[in-house]
Amino acid sequence: MKKHISREGLLESFEKLQRQFDNSQTTAQDQERDFEAMRQNFMQRLSEHLADARKSLPATNPLKPQVLGFVDLMVKTQAEWDTKVAGREKGLGFRQGFGDSLLVFVNGKVKSGKSSLGNYMAWGHTDPDDELKRQVAARLVPHYFSHEKTDVDGGDTENEAQQRCEFRVGATEATSSIQGFKLPGLTWVDSPGLHSVKKENENLARDYVEHADLILYTMKSDSPGRESDLAEVKLLLGKEKKVLLLLTGSDDVEEDWSDEADCLVSTVVMKDAQRRENQRAYVRKALEESCGAENAANIEVVSFSARYAQLNAGDSAAFSESGMGPLCETLHRIAQSDGVSIKQRTPIANMRTFLQSCHDGLQPYCYVRRYLRLNPLFCPRSFQCVCRIEPECIAGLNRPLSSLGFGCFGF
């Protein structure tokens, strides 16, 4: 049987990479500053020209409704850009404190095992008690943090993860904040569930997941490969994210009569190997159909049971059988072979996605501008100025793209 790396061995491997992560900080910061200066200049000039266009447009101009509609469209786009920039700045602020570690973000639907997995990675137990925590070596004690949270009822309380030094797990939707822990070289982030009945929780998870270096997407093994899960994975791949797909809860509970105890005894066992392999094969096929064969080939699928692993903590064979061994081995391999390059690529890929969304917001300008220019009845000078600065803005978007080695937008 293949020998897999232990949880402790995985954490030690991240510790060795800490300095490399710290030295890998992206060169995208200069491009980000240049783009923001360009954006602010564009918005200031656009606001001035729009105000002038409204004033100077003759009431008798036959295209006045179309022109005012175009002006309103640009005002709306200004507001949308401001919202995107605010969200981006929030994410950059979040990443800023984790430059010396791989930022691992656990994403998935409500009650798909995210918080239990986080507790296991932190402590070796899905629901650790104080006695267990006291036994952990000082250098492997996780340092918890709490970030933004929603105000919905029933979720975790303010700074709960920090105070309890663990993530809340339970039968109800337990997580309503961005929370996590840090160990040398590793930042682990737990998030609210997707497809939550509490939309604020889902939106919070979406706001932060794009700033992750590595995403662990969890699916319950009782219902793997659902179309809604595959749609979420496809969105992440579209943002150039490294994704590892986890089939959680890959165990069963068997009951048998105990003559000695004179009652039914429950035992946690792993789902048999063939059943787990069939589930992974089903998910891989569904990924190919949803995301394309090339994208699906880049996603690894791992089945595991944190519960079975903790119940058999002293048995190396059972640890491997639990799937936690292969999971730790996979995370170790990714960190060792790709961790630093993933850390370097993330902010650059995020910036490219952001610039693309800004460019997409300019598309309506292009169509309306061309239409109005073809009509000789309408030519107020101020509006001609508005039309000219839209290509200038696209040129401004292209400058950071070109410097980062990406293809440029067309006019």
Side-chain angles (χ1 to χ4, degrees), residues 4 48 62 89 92 120 132 142 149 165 203 234-235 293 299 301 310 342 352-353 359 404 406 408:
H4 292 110
E48 293 171 355
E89 289 178 346
L92 290 174
Y120 183 86
L132 184 148
K149 75 179 299 294
C165 293
N203 291 340
K234 187 174 182 179
L235 283 174
I299 301 179
V301 184
Q310 76 182 33
I342 289 173
R352 182 175 185 274
T353 300
H359 176 260
L404 293 172
F406 295 113
C408 294

Side-chain angles (χ1 to χ4, degrees), residues 205-309:
R206 294 190 190 282
D207 284 346
Y208 283 89
V209 68
E210 65 183 70
H211 299 285
D213 298 320
L214 172 65
I215 297 170
L216 308 184
Y217 191 94
T218 55
M219 295 183 186
K220 290 291 290 182
S221 64
D222 293 341
S223 53
R226 285 189 171 181
E227 186 175 344
S228 53
D229 280 314
L230 298 175
E232 297 293 344
V233 173
K234 187 174 182 179
L235 283 174
L236 295 173
L237 294 176
K239 295 181 178 180
E240 304 179 52
K241 293 301 178 184
K242 175 70 175 177
V243 180
L244 180 60
L245 209 159
L246 309 181
L247 304 187
T248 65
S250 294
D251 58 43
D252 288 319
V253 177
E254 292 184 348
E255 292 188 336
D256 197 11
W257 184 264
S258 169
D259 292 331
E260 182 178 345
D262 195 30
C263 65
L264 283 174
V265 176
S266 298
T267 305
V268 177
V269 299
M270 289 299 296
K271 292 178 179 177
D272 68 76
Q274 187 59 55
R275 185 178 171 193
R276 282 178 276 152
E277 176 53 39
N278 290 343
Q279 287 187 329
R280 292 192 295 270
Y282 174 81
V283 171
R284 290 191 196 99
K285 183 178 179 181
L287 281 171
E288 290 179 1
E289 294 173 353
S290 174
C291 307
E294 184 176 352
N295 283 329
N298 294 323
I299 301 179
E300 297 184 64
V301 184
V302 179
S303 305
F304 74 92
S305 166
R307 176 171 64 169
Y308 186 84

